Amino acid sequence: MLQVNNLRKAYGGLVAVDDVSLTLAPGQLLGLLGPNGAGKTTTVSMIAGLLTPDRGDVMVNGERMHGDTNPLKRRIGLVPQDLALYDELCPTDNLRFFGGLYGMRGDALAVAIKNVLELVGLADRARDAVKNFSGGMKRRLNLAAGLLHDPDILMLDEPTVGVDPQSRNAIFENLEFLKSRGKALLYTTHYMEEVERMADRVVVIDHGKVIANNTLAGLLASVPPKPGEQPSLEAVFLTLTGRNLRD
Amino acid sequence: MGLIALRAMVRKDLQLFFSDRKAVIMSFAAPILIASFFGSIFGSAGSTNAGGIPIMVADQDNGVISRSIVAAIKADKTLGVTLTTPDSARESVRKGAVSVSVIIPAGFGDAAGLAFFNGQNKPELDLVYDPSRTAELGMVRGMLMGHVIEAVSKEVFTGSRGGVLADQSLKQLDASDMPADQKQRLRDVLNATRNLEQGNATNGTAVGAPGMSTPYSVKEEPGMANPLAGYNPYAHSFAGMGVQFLLFAAIDLGIGILLERQRGLWKRLRSAPLSKGALLGGKALSGMLITLMTLLVSFTFAIVVFKVRVTGSVPGFLMVAVATALMASNFGLLIAALGRTPGATRGVSILATLMMVMLGGAWIPTFFFPAWLQKATVVVPTRWAIDGIDAMTWRGVGLSGAVLPTAVLLGFAALFGGLAVWQFRWEES
Ligand SMILES: Nc1ncnc2c1ncn2[C@@H]1O[C@H](COP(=O)(O)OP(=O)(O)O)[C@@H](O)[C@H]1O
Ligand SMILES: [Mg+2]
């Protein structure tokens, strides 16, 4: 469904993403795992069409995605790392605007808004100003905004940052549901347990380069645990990326 | 689909605008308040003429001629005269109570009478003025000249001092080293004057020679294209402040884009299948509507409350207003394209806007500017906006008068828009 070939992006002298390739199938959740500054957001931005890659291309259903108005962009939903919401407006008005950007209107838009708000558990807050929402509620609305136009591919860039356990759990349940509906999910994070819980496949990147691309089981098996330790993704991750501080 | 997106963008920007109470007050109440204030100042500056420019007069001479000067300026309706001592006359100017004081020094009348004949040893009339109000000094000086000449000449030709002064002048003439034929001709004039005065004294009736006076009177008529037109200071102040706050609203639009970028919202816009033109066009459109609304709201207020009238052409007024709004919203886009952080950008753009509106004549009408500055400010778009609105409102110029300002404003809109598109950062990360 989504195929990313040899993406590269440099900011001046800094190569933020270097030769990244990955594929994503329907009903699959791919965890894009990497420390801060690894190039996760840059990768997601190129796939979503926010950044023009220096090299490489993004294929959706075998078609190369290119240009601002390419209809293939409709197949992709973006849940940005930032809480990209208008605080002054209520969820309904936020979603009405985001839907309008995709040409949605009228009853179809109203139904879609109702559905996504119900999915993320905000139906009863549909008319309250977002500025009074908790971090978890805003994260859920952020997710709803990415889902509104019913994309086949959903890209979630660290969607659980600053979220309480209940909201995090609710988001996970939403994602499980979307997977079961055949959506393809690309999920970036630096939280191991999220990947361990949900990912069908894991791509580890660091310094812009893919350093592992495997199933979870395959990844755990690839780095033998130290004597007396349980195999864990965290141990694998630290072995792969080193122990230097990144921030 | 582009249209649906465009409508969604405009609707969202309007919702955002109205959700921000401070912005709404800033855009609607502030221009009305400030324009009302400026209008009332420029209005009362005009109406002091009706009550007369207040001046203080101290007559240290207290002679026949000086008393008749004082009487004449007291009778002048354009002056509000208070008689006082020289000290208090000076003090009143220092304190700002009056803008001009006139001090007639001792011996002024006779000296003026003599100087009238021989043009020498002219006495000085002391005008003490407030340097911040030189316009009134000019008016008082002009009015005084007429009254002094009239009073002095009348007294010289027909009054009781006239003969005495003529005699004195004759003696001075004899003593002077003027060529003989010139002396003779002047002597004839002085003798005639003395005879005129003596005849008056013996007959007890004045010959019909009341002295010199301004040999014309004035019919004043405002130079307006439309008989309904007429200077309404509120028309100008609302044009100026309307344009100023319209630009402030445009700054908010530009800052709004920077905030959307900062908050990641611009990513959502960019991930939708919309062209760059649609994204900027939507912004320009909502910016135009919001800025146009601020201008029209304050003008509606001016029309209802201050009887400002579009005495020129209503379509012309709307043309200028729309072109101004378009120029402003593209100015907002340019701000978004050039700015980095919202905070720093706001400061710089407010400064730029204040410069533009100042040079455009929003605060002080451009006719107060020196000639070179009046010429130089045609490079400022606000100048065209304000002049265009002035032309359509109180100047009463027809539709043709709106064409050039509209065209120039559209040119500025294209320039700002082009620069914005060129400089806009489209890469999101
Ligand atoms: N607009 C930019 N200009 C310059 N460098 C950038 C820009 N955006 C990201 N970077 C750099 O690119 C690298 C990758 O960033 P990013 O993709 O945001 O990483 P991640 O999302 O994995 O934390 C980092 O070193 C970051 O500092
Ligand atoms: Mg990131």
Side-chain angles (χ1 to χ4, degrees):
Chain A
M1 174 157 282
L2 175 71
Q3 190 173 351
V4 170
N5 299 324
N6 314 100
L7 281 186
R8 180 193 154 98
K9 183 77 187 179
Y11 297 110
L14 176 91
V15 182
V17 171
D18 194 1
D19 205 28
V20 166
S21 302
L22 49 87
T23 55
L24 181 58
Q28 196 183 42
L29 189 147
L30 184 138
L32 185 59
L33 194 60
N36 281 335
K40 303 182 295 293
T41 298
T42 305
T43 303
V44 165
S45 297
M46 285 189 283
I47 299 172
L50 311 179
L51 280 177
T52 316
D54 299 339
R55 267 212 297 276
D57 39 39
V58 176
M59 316 284 284
V60 176
N61 284 345
E63 267 188 76
R64 182 161 177 265
M65 213 177 77
H66 178 75
D68 292 326
T69 56
N70 192 316
L72 290 175
K73 279 174 105 178
R74 300 178 58 84
R75 312 290 295 277
I76 296 178
L78 174 67
V79 179
Q81 188 171 351
D82 329 72
L83 287 166
L85 303 165
Y86 293 98
D87 275 347
E88 304 83 352
L89 305 181
C90 64
T92 304
D93 288 336
N94 267 285
L95 295 174
R96 197 176 278 164
F97 168 58
F98 299 135
L101 295 179
Y102 287 88
M104 301 168 75
R105 63 171 164 173
D107 290 345
L109 178 58
V111 168
I113 290 174
K114 187 168 160 283
N115 287 344
V116 289
L117 284 180
E118 266 166 19
L119 179 71
V120 300
L122 287 173
D124 54 334
R125 306 296 301 268
R127 282 289 175 186
D128 297 348
V130 171
K131 61 168 167 265
N132 301 321
F133 281 15
S134 70
M137 292 162 79
K138 287 183 184 176
R139 279 285 161 206
R140 275 143 59 202
L141 184 56
N142 209 35
L143 171 64
L147 286 173
L148 184 66
H149 63 285
D150 196 27
D152 302 324
I153 303 161
L154 191 64
M155 297 204 287
L156 303 117
D157 195 359
E158 307 202 18
T160 58
V161 171
V163 151
D164 57 296
Q166 281 75 16
S167 282
R168 174 191 290 235
N169 207 53
I171 289 174
F172 288 169
E173 281 171 11
N174 291 157
L175 298 182
E176 299 288 0
F177 170 76
L178 292 167
K179 259 173 73 169
S180 74
R181 295 270 311 274
K183 307 284 184 195
L185 309 178
L186 182 88
Y187 188 107
T188 88
T189 185
H190 53 259
Y191 296 128
M192 310 302 147
E193 71 278 12
E194 297 188 343
V195 173
E196 277 177 319
R197 172 169 166 181
M198 292 194 302
D200 303 297
R201 226 186 146 76
V202 183
V203 171
V204 182
I205 66 170
D206 195 15
H207 302 298
K209 285 194 163 68
V210 176
I211 52 177
N213 183 349
N214 210 330
T215 60
L216 187 57
L219 198 61
L220 289 176
S222 69
V223 179
K226 290 193 182 120
E229 274 184 19
Q230 285 293 311
S232 81
L233 187 57
E234 179 152 1
V236 173
F237 183 75
L238 289 176
T239 307
L240 288 172
T241 61
R243 288 175 185 270
N244 294 336
L245 295 177
R246 297 307 173 99
D247 282 313
Chain B
M1 192 197 108
L3 276 184
I4 297 174
L6 215 60
R7 209 183 55 185
M9 288 171 72
V10 170
R11 177 194 170 124
K12 179 266 300 172
D13 279 338
L14 289 175
Q15 280 179 330
L16 283 180
F17 175 75
F18 283 109
S19 74
D20 183 352
R21 194 160 302 159
K22 265 192 301 189
V24 173
I25 291 176
M26 186 73 173
S27 306
F28 294 140
I32 288 175
L33 272 175
I34 299 178
S36 304
F37 173 73
F38 271 119
S40 70
I41 289 178
F42 286 119
S44 63
S47 65
T48 28
N49 279 348
I53 300 171
I55 64 168
M56 295 277 189
V57 176
D59 182 6
Q60 285 183 299
D61 187 11
N62 204 20
V64 178
I65 292 178
S66 73
R67 278 199 299 271
S68 107
I69 294 173
V70 171
I73 54 183
K74 270 175 115 169
D76 189 331
K77 291 219 165 35
T78 56
L79 296 171
V81 175
T82 311
L83 287 176
T84 183
T85 62
D87 285 345
S88 113
R90 286 178 193 282
E91 187 66 14
S92 300
V93 174
R94 266 198 293 274
K95 286 185 176 159
V98 295
S99 47
V100 185
S101 281
V102 182
I103 299 170
I104 306 175
F108 177 84
D110 283 356
L114 285 175
F116 188 79
F117 289 118
N118 58 23
Q120 287 160 5
N121 305 324
K122 294 181 185 171
E124 281 175 345
L125 193 62
D126 206 353
L127 289 191
V128 186
Y129 69 96
D130 181 338
S132 70
R133 288 153 82 181
T134 49
E136 293 173 18
L137 170 68
M139 290 189 260
V140 172
R141 191 198 293 125
M143 284 180 282
L144 270 180
M145 181 161 74
H147 293 311
V148 170
I149 289 181
E150 197 164 328
V152 171
S153 63
K154 183 172 173 181
E155 194 57 36
V156 160
F157 288 125
T158 59
S160 54
R161 291 296 293 165
V164 180
L165 294 173
D167 279 342
Q168 264 191 45
S169 298
L170 277 169
K171 283 190 198 113
Q172 282 177 6
L173 184 65
D174 291 336
S176 81
D177 47 7
M178 210 179 271
D181 59 329
Q182 278 187 28
K183 255 188 200 176
Q184 188 50 48
R185 271 179 270 152
L186 251 178
R187 194 174 288 122
D188 289 348
V189 171
L190 289 169
N191 280 329
T193 305
R194 200 173 48 176
N195 292 342
L196 184 65
E197 186 270 322
Q198 278 170 352
N200 283 346
T202 42
N203 297 345
T205 52
V207 191
M212 293 184 189
S213 63
T214 358
Y216 61 89
S217 69
V218 174
K219 172 168 160 272
E220 289 173 356
E221 160 190 13
M224 293 295 139
N226 181 324
L228 287 174
Y231 183 58
N232 181 335
Y234 292 99
H236 179 80
S237 66
F238 274 83
M241 287 304 122
V243 169
Q244 173 170 325
F245 281 87
L246 171 147
L247 283 167
F248 283 166
I251 292 179
D252 279 342
L253 170 91
I255 304 287
I257 297 177
L258 291 178
L259 284 170
E260 284 180 323
R261 194 194 283 285
Q262 200 178 53
R263 289 157 73 176
L265 280 156
W266 202 250
K267 289 185 180 175
R268 281 206 199 284
L269 283 116
R270 288 285 287 140
S271 66
L274 293 170
S275 67
K276 298 179 172 83
L279 289 177
L280 286 188
K283 277 289 171 193
L285 187 62
S286 49
M288 203 189 86
L289 289 178
I290 290 171
T291 57
L292 188 63
M293 200 162 54
T294 66
L295 186 71
L296 294 183
V297 165
S298 49
F299 256 97
T300 305
F301 185 90
I303 286 169
V304 172
V305 176
F306 295 116
K307 306 207 162 30
V308 167
R309 293 289 175 266
V310 180
T311 58
S313 153
V314 172
F317 177 82
L318 292 176
M319 266 164 55
V320 174
V322 168
T324 304
L326 199 61
M327 178 277 290
S329 67
N330 284 3
F331 176 66
L333 292 185
L334 184 58
I335 288 170
L338 300 179
R340 301 282 174 227
T341 65
T345 306
R346 186 184 296 275
V348 175
S349 5
I350 287 183
L351 186 67
T353 299
L354 290 179
M355 294 297 293
M356 266 206 288
V357 294
M358 182 182 75
L359 293 174
W363 302 344
I364 304 166
T366 44
F367 55 76
F368 282 117
F369 292 178
W372 67 267
L373 192 56
Q374 292 197 27
K375 284 217 181 73
T377 51
V378 298
V379 301
V380 185
T382 45
R383 169 82 195 273
W384 293 92
I386 294 167
D387 283 1
I389 295 173
D390 274 354
M392 293 304 112
T393 55
W394 66 268
R395 283 192 192 279
V397 182
L399 183 61
S400 62
V403 172
L404 183 61
T406 301
V408 173
L409 286 164
L410 290 179
F412 275 109
L415 175 71
F416 291 160
L419 287 174
V421 170
W422 178 42
Q423 286 292 309
F424 204 86
R425 278 163 294 131
W426 288 105
E427 301 271 278
E428 290 292 326
S429 64

